[in-house]
Amino acid sequence: KRGINYLARESLFRFPGMGALLRSWNAVPVDRDGGGAKGLKIILDRLLNGAGIILFPEGTRTKDGRLQPARSGIGLTVIKSAAPVVPVRVFGTFEAYGRHIKIPRPHRVVVKYGKPMNFEKLRAEAKACDKARLKQIYQEVADEIMTAIATLEPKAD
């Protein structure tokens, strides 16, 4: 029973009414082209204050329905926080409202949750390593999360 927060593409907040709607859903605008420090700070502040965060490691909707590589920003967010990560995979959204669909259509959606992941060892290493290794750690965390997501299956356990 805590607030859930999201990151949303900054350009979506420019549409009349859309920005207010997104903010009412606790969405935080983020510049996906590299200037996301402000959005990251807001998200980390919310995490540190006990809120939950939903992050999409791929950064955007898939073009073909398959999982895409994770962007390193998810690793940065994980390393800068102390929160556990719960991998989640959502099935059916591509068929219901993929990038190729203009109007959403009814389709069954299944959500699968994985086991919480902790990154204490990499967080500790990140505090003392050089910048090059830090970038590797961010991508390593992102890749590990995507691997956990990829193992989740839509069928019942």
Side-chain angles (χ1 to χ4, degrees):
K1 296 191 179 192
R2 60 184 177 157
I4 299 294
N5 298 265
Y6 310 85
L7 291 175
R9 188 176 66 227
E10 186 177 47
S11 62
L12 294 174
F13 288 78
R14 296 182 193 141
F15 295 106
M18 181 64 83
L21 180 63
L22 288 169
R23 282 186 180 85
S24 76
W25 292 341
N26 294 328
V28 174
V30 66
D31 177 0
R32 292 189 321 186
D33 296 324
K38 183 179 175 187
L40 175 63
K41 182 178 179 348
I42 293 168
I43 284 294
L44 287 172
D45 286 346
R46 291 181 185 184
L47 258 179
L48 293 171
N49 286 315
I53 307 296
I54 294 179
L55 298 172
F56 298 91
E58 299 158 290
T60 190
R61 293 186 295 169
T62 177
K63 293 178 182 172
D64 59 10
R66 293 185 300 214
L67 292 175
Q68 306 300 306
R71 298 178 67 158
S72 62
I74 185 98
L76 182 147
T77 306
V78 169
I79 291 299
K80 297 277 185 190
S81 78
V85 175
V86 178
V88 178
R89 188 165 179 186
V90 184
F91 298 89
T93 55
F94 179 75
E95 294 78 8
Y97 194 38
R99 295 177 92 161
H100 62 290
I101 299 172
K102 298 221 183 282
I103 299 171
R105 53 186 175 205
H107 192 276
R108 182 174 182 223
V109 173
V110 175
V111 180
K112 291 304 236 180
Y113 297 88
K115 295 182 189 301
M117 304 169 72
N118 290 301
F119 294 93
E120 290 95 1
K121 192 173 177 183
L122 287 171
R123 284 179 176 130
E125 183 183 350
K127 290 178 181 175
C129 69
D130 63 29
K131 199 170 191 171
R133 175 61 183 139
L134 189 58
K135 285 186 175 189
Q136 290 175 338
I137 289 171
Y138 294 159
Q139 192 61 56
E140 195 175 315
V141 168
D143 293 343
E144 192 173 327
I145 292 168
M146 281 306 295
T147 298
I149 290 169
T151 64
L152 299 172
E153 295 293 330
K155 60 185 180 251
D157 292 331

